[in-house]
Amino acid sequence: MIDNMPSLIRLRNGEKVKNTFPVEEYTARVAKVRRHMAGHGIDAVLFTSYHNINYYSDFLYCSFGRFYGLAVTHDKTTLIAANIDGAQPWRKGVADDVLTYTDWQRGNYFRAVAQTLAGCRRIGVEMDHLPVDRLKALQEALPGVEFIDVAAACMRMRMVKSPAEIEFIAHGAQVCDIGGAALVAAVKEGVPEHEVALASTDAMVREIGRRFPHTELMDTWTWFQSGINTDGAHNPVTTRRVQKGDILSLNCFSMISGYYTALERTLFLDHASDAHLRLWEINVKVHDEGKKLLKPGVKCSEVARELNKIFAAHDLLQYRTFGYGHSFGVLSHYYGREAGLELREDIDTVLEPNMVISMEPMIMLPEGLPGAGGYREHDILVITPEGNRNLTGFPYGPEHNIIKA
């Protein structure tokens, strides 16, 4: 009986929903891909990552062990999704066709790919998102096909934002500011980290729903760290209770239709020691000087080296935790990352208008040292022809962020 069940179907249920951007935005993005295909003799591209499928089709999938794809040929786009999603990929996705594979037979995803890309001999794929076993399965489903890596080329396309994207990211930054205010209001002596984080996340989700009533509400989150937990930028929320004199890290992340924005601040409850104040003020100085450096024509590596000099002058460079900032757009804590636009010594990308990048210096002094803890400030800036425009409005530094007990 199972053998008679269909492998591939087309589900149409309900009405199309409002997309994150006008259709013309997605058309322009796909056109850039097709120009790259034409210039490199590529017949089709099969996107498989969360970020690229979302970027080019407005559909953000939930994997849960299943595979997804967006096939782009020179004249058609096809979204390949799993039957478990119902018709939601069709309602949300911007594509000429949506092909759904079922679970009735093993390997139906690869049958969908083979049917969609039949006759293509050179196919672009994201090698940074293809495990060896999945690449092997694609090779078996499409014998004789040459696979070409297009991941880096598409990353470079995403690094320069459209005006519509910049406006959208600005909304996300404003939502983070609202989450930051809710977080500060929730910080009290004896309150556990998770309760503070929940207050922030709830405020952001509600604000996203108010601003974008047509969007999906998923993935917005807050990391609130206190004391020893501030030593890592991505340390999870715990049940540790906040104490007077604690160093605190505010980390608000609004996620809107796959677009990530962030607000990060150093805080203290009630008071900060002289040693803590000294380190905090140095990190704030690096933050301020770093923002001044973000302008067209400057290399990412040059920014990092200049800021290293400030930390080195205070004998703190060895406590720097990571690079000084990164690109924003379609990314999250589990997908994306425009690695070509990071403020690191080994990245020589030249900044240009309409890139969106953070300035976020962090130092961490281990327990036992005066002023122990992690210090981090974070603003999101748009590179403009004249310099940059700051999208973050939340205040920072000792004069603003010592919270009264």
Side-chain angles (χ1 to χ4, degrees), residues 84-162:
I84 196 170
D85 298 313
Q88 196 262 350
W90 172 79
R91 290 194 297 271
K92 183 69 187 296
V94 179
D96 298 319
D97 190 15
V98 179
L99 183 62
T100 296
Y101 69 93
T102 71
D103 282 353
W104 291 114
Q105 300 86 18
R106 184 169 296 278
N108 281 346
Y109 169 78
F110 299 100
R111 292 186 179 92
V113 171
Q115 175 178 303
T116 303
L117 298 179
C120 297
R121 309 315 302 165
R122 301 185 81 239
I123 297 175
V125 293
E126 302 171 76
M127 287 297 186
D128 60 354
H129 197 268
L130 273 183
V132 173
D133 60 341
R134 204 177 313 168
L135 176 59
K136 182 179 179 181
L138 282 175
Q139 291 168 333
E140 292 172 351
L142 296 163
V145 166
E146 180 185 0
F147 293 96
I148 298 99
D149 188 13
V150 297
C154 291
M155 175 193 68
R156 287 191 293 271
M157 296 177 203
R158 298 197 313 272
M159 278 167 25
V160 178
K161 314 304 178 191
S162 70

Side-chain angles (χ1 to χ4, degrees), residues 113-368:
V113 171
Q115 175 178 303
T116 303
L117 298 179
C120 297
R121 309 315 302 165
R122 301 185 81 239
I123 297 175
V125 293
E126 302 171 76
M127 287 297 186
D128 60 354
H129 197 268
L130 273 183
V132 173
D133 60 341
R134 204 177 313 168
L135 176 59
K136 182 179 179 181
L138 282 175
Q139 291 168 333
E140 292 172 351
L142 296 163
V145 166
E146 180 185 0
F147 293 96
I148 298 99
D149 188 13
V150 297
C154 291
M155 175 193 68
R156 287 191 293 271
M157 296 177 203
R158 298 197 313 272
M159 278 167 25
V160 178
K161 314 304 178 191
S162 70
E165 281 185 286
I166 292 170
E167 180 183 358
F168 197 71
I169 292 169
H171 275 287
Q174 292 161 15
V175 170
C176 287
D177 287 344
I178 289 169
L183 185 152
V184 169
V187 175
K188 299 286 188 295
E189 184 180 13
V191 175
E193 290 178 359
H194 70 276
E195 290 293 344
V196 175
L198 284 170
S200 170
T201 302
D202 286 353
M204 289 191 288
V205 170
R206 291 190 177 102
E207 181 63 16
I208 294 168
R210 186 188 71 80
R211 293 186 183 218
F212 301 99
H214 59 279
T215 194
E216 301 158 351
L217 297 170
M218 57 184 289
D219 293 336
T220 293
W221 86 105
T222 301
W223 281 323
F224 173 67
Q225 300 137 352
S226 64
I228 185 66
N229 295 333
T230 65
D231 69 345
H234 297 165
N235 287 351
V237 171
T238 74
T239 57
R240 183 185 183 277
R241 294 179 182 272
V242 179
Q243 305 166 26
K244 288 183 179 180
D246 268 349
I247 184 170
L248 310 171
S249 287
L250 173 160
N251 307 271
C252 302
F253 307 104
S254 72
M255 292 295 304
I256 314 175
S257 297
Y259 276 77
Y260 162 95
T261 48
L263 168 69
E264 299 170 10
R265 290 290 185 257
T266 301
L267 313 167
F268 281 81
L269 179 61
D270 189 66
H271 65 275
S273 70
D274 289 344
H276 282 105
L277 284 171
R278 171 181 170 272
L279 294 165
W280 192 3
E281 288 168 349
I282 292 169
N283 203 58
V284 165
K285 179 180 179 181
V286 173
H287 184 58
D288 286 336
E289 294 302 314
K291 288 188 288 185
K292 296 176 187 176
L293 295 172
L294 298 180
K295 53 189 176 183
V298 175
K299 291 182 180 180
C300 292
S301 55
E302 293 171 347
V303 174
R305 293 189 182 100
E306 283 300 309
L307 297 181
N308 283 346
K309 294 175 184 178
I310 303 175
F311 279 138
H314 295 279
D315 194 26
L316 292 173
L317 186 56
Q318 65 271 33
Y319 299 117
R320 197 193 92 184
T321 301
F322 53 87
Y324 290 99
H326 60 82
S327 184
F328 278 78
V330 178
L331 57 98
S332 177
H333 54 310
Y334 64 91
Y335 61 81
R337 192 71 170 183
E338 294 166 9
L341 189 54
E342 297 192 5
L343 299 175
R344 296 168 34 136
E345 296 85 348
D346 57 345
I347 303 293
D348 289 326
T349 300
V350 177
L351 298 180
E352 58 182 278
N354 290 352
M355 288 179 169
V356 180
I357 193 165
S358 61
M359 174 50 58
E360 52 176 312
M362 179 178 177
I363 52 173
M364 189 282 288
L365 279 76
E367 276 202 328

